[in-house]
Amino acid sequence: ISILAFSSKVRAAEDLYDVPKVTTVQNRLYHLHNELTLQGSYLPLDPFVKYFGVGGSYTMHFSSFTAWEILNGTYIFAVPSQLKKDVNFFGYPPSNTEKAGKPFDDQFFTMKYMVSTNLKFTPLYIKNLFFNSKIVYSMISFVGGGGVAQFERDDKKQTRMRPFINLGVVIHYMLSESALIKFDFRDQIFTAADTKNQLALTLGFAVNFGGKSAKEEREIEEEF
């Protein structure tokens, strides 16, 4: 009798802690299809010039994980730093390099624009709680590709093109099914020895269009 009483107590204790398991894995609420972005950039690494840029990009998404950023273009505005002003004050580079016997490359070259094409991989989909009152969905993507940038000499008499490799991370915050904000961090690694790498910090607003709605996507997922 005591053994039966003990076993019944054990079963009762097991039943007490035998609660349903809750899973946190959910299907994606939003799916990207065609992504058109308007963006502004800041490139801080050049000691002589600080670059600001405006541009845009178009991305085609093949699935929830893979996409092709077909074109990303930025027009650059160069703002001379205090260091460059100090260098010019002391007479370098000379205003007339031919008479001074200096090669043309002694002139500063500043970036005018850059274009690239990239592949995007999005393995992370995140649900965020904003101020303990609103749920915001986000995605983290890794991008890689290549492109070219045009540089112009200070006296505007010579330009040159330089290829680069593009690597970075993009964070998407979904405002709705068709609108999102993007934080883009990319390093342009130039292959030419006379050109330094440029890190681009970019803020963009994008619209998502085409494809099925979020409701239709969920209905398809539930069928399978």
Side-chain angles (χ1 to χ4, degrees), residues 157-173:
K157 292 183 178 180
Q158 185 180 5
T159 61
R160 62 189 186 191
M161 305 292 289
R162 291 293 182 264
F164 61 82
I165 298 170
N166 215 5
L167 297 173
V169 177
V170 184
I171 305 174
H172 311 72
Y173 286 97

Side-chain angles (χ1 to χ4, degrees), residues 71-113:
L71 181 65
N72 189 318
T74 303
Y75 184 80
I76 303 295
F77 301 91
V79 178
S81 68
Q82 186 61 44
L83 176 60
K84 183 177 181 181
K85 295 176 183 178
D86 292 341
V87 169
N88 286 333
F89 177 78
F90 287 105
Y92 183 86
S95 58
N96 190 327
T97 53
E98 292 177 316
K99 291 183 179 179
K102 294 286 186 180
F104 283 125
D105 281 350
D106 278 353
Q107 287 274 357
F108 286 109
F109 279 81
T110 54
M111 190 188 303
K112 300 303 293 181
Y113 67 82

Side-chain angles (χ1 to χ4, degrees), residues 26 28-33 35 59-69 118-127 137-144 168-174 180-184 186:
Q26 298 180 354
R28 299 186 181 216
L29 181 63
Y30 300 116
H31 295 265
L32 298 179
H33 303 284
E35 181 186 338
T59 304
M60 179 186 296
H61 292 261
F62 304 117
S63 70
S64 297
F65 304 100
T66 58
W68 177 23
E69 187 182 71
N118 303 275
L119 295 178
K120 181 187 291 186
F121 178 58
T122 309
L124 300 176
Y125 184 78
I126 303 168
K127 181 191 290 186
Y137 294 89
S138 63
M139 289 166 278
I140 298 179
S141 303
F142 300 95
V143 294
V169 177
V170 184
I171 305 174
H172 311 72
Y173 286 97
M174 305 296 301
L180 58 150
I181 293 177
K182 297 166 59 176
F183 295 92
D184 193 322
R186 302 197 197 188

